[in-house]
């Protein structure tokens, strides 16, 4: 799947950056309009509160563009590791109570060591709550952060 099906990929990236940077309201509104051009995709803008213990593997903000069983994920890690483009993922669970997504990102730490991280995001529409978990493949560690999402 190409991200072109979601419409303006730049809008998603811009929305993620402006939400995390605390940009002025006009910039946030413009980014939301650009992301809205993504057609029939459901857009979730999420803010999380990862602790320092998460080692930077879970971002402070995410934008999920959901269309059918596919999801485009834009966050700090996705944009850095994927050439300023959202990462393609899939919807692995969808019900009235919960929607869950999974995606992977190949990252490089400060020592140059390459790690493939498996991510899972769970969104609860009734409360707007979100949980994002990151797990380095081949290791037992799991990193988690919780927050809230708004539908755009």
């Amino acid at each position: 799947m190409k991200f072109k099906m979601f419409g303006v990929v730049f809008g998603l990236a811009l929305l993620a950056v402006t939400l995390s940077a605390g940009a002025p309201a006009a910039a946030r509104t413009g980014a939301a309009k650009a992301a809205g051009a993504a057609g029939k995709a459901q857009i979730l803008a999420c803010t999380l509160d990862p602790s320092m213990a998460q080692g930077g593997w879970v971002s402070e903000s995410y934008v999920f563009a959901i269309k059918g069983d596919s999801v485009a994920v834009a966050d700090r890690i996705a944009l850095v590791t994927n050439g300023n483009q959202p990462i393609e993922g899939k919807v692995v669970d969808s019900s009235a109570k919960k929607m869950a997504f999974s995606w992977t990102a190949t990252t490089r730490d400060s020592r140059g060591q390459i790690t493939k991280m498996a991510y899972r995001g769970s969104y609860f529409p009734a409360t707007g709550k979100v949980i994002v978990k990151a797990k380095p493949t081949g290791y037992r560690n799991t990193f988690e952060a919780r927050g809230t999402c708004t539908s755009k």
Side-chain angles (χ1 to χ4, degrees):
M1 172 187 78
K2 299 290 181 194
F3 291 108
K4 302 296 184 209
M5 74 176 259
F6 288 103
V8 183
V9 172
F10 178 75
L12 294 175
L14 181 60
L15 181 59
V17 171
T18 56
L19 287 174
S20 65
R28 287 193 303 270
T29 301
K33 285 180 183 175
K40 303 263 184 204
Q42 177 185 3
I43 307 293
L44 298 174
C46 307
T47 304
L48 289 84
D49 188 19
S51 70
M52 291 304 290
Q54 301 313 316
W57 296 114
V58 179
S59 296
E60 299 81 18
S61 62
Y62 286 84
V63 175
F64 300 105
I66 305 111
K67 191 168 190 178
D69 63 352
S70 297
V71 62
V73 180
D75 73 313
R76 172 181 48 82
I77 296 167
L79 297 176
V80 168
T81 62
N82 201 36
N84 285 325
Q85 297 293 313
I87 290 179
E88 177 183 347
K90 61 183 176 179
V91 176
V92 294
D93 184 17
S94 183
S95 70
K97 292 184 179 184
K98 176 175 93 169
M99 185 179 296
F101 331 104
S102 67
W103 68 98
T104 59
T106 302
T107 62
R108 184 182 306 264
D109 69 12
S110 60
R111 297 178 303 241
Q113 187 175 28
I114 296 172
T115 303
K116 186 173 185 177
M117 298 293 287
Y119 286 88
R120 182 175 174 100
S122 298
Y123 170 65
F124 303 90
T127 61
K129 301 291 183 189
V130 66
I131 302 170
V132 174
K133 294 182 181 185
K135 181 173 176 39
T137 55
Y139 297 92
R140 292 186 200 182
N141 307 40
T142 299
F143 306 99
E144 178 181 308
R146 295 168 183 256
T148 57
C149 296
T150 56
S151 187
K152 300 288 180 181

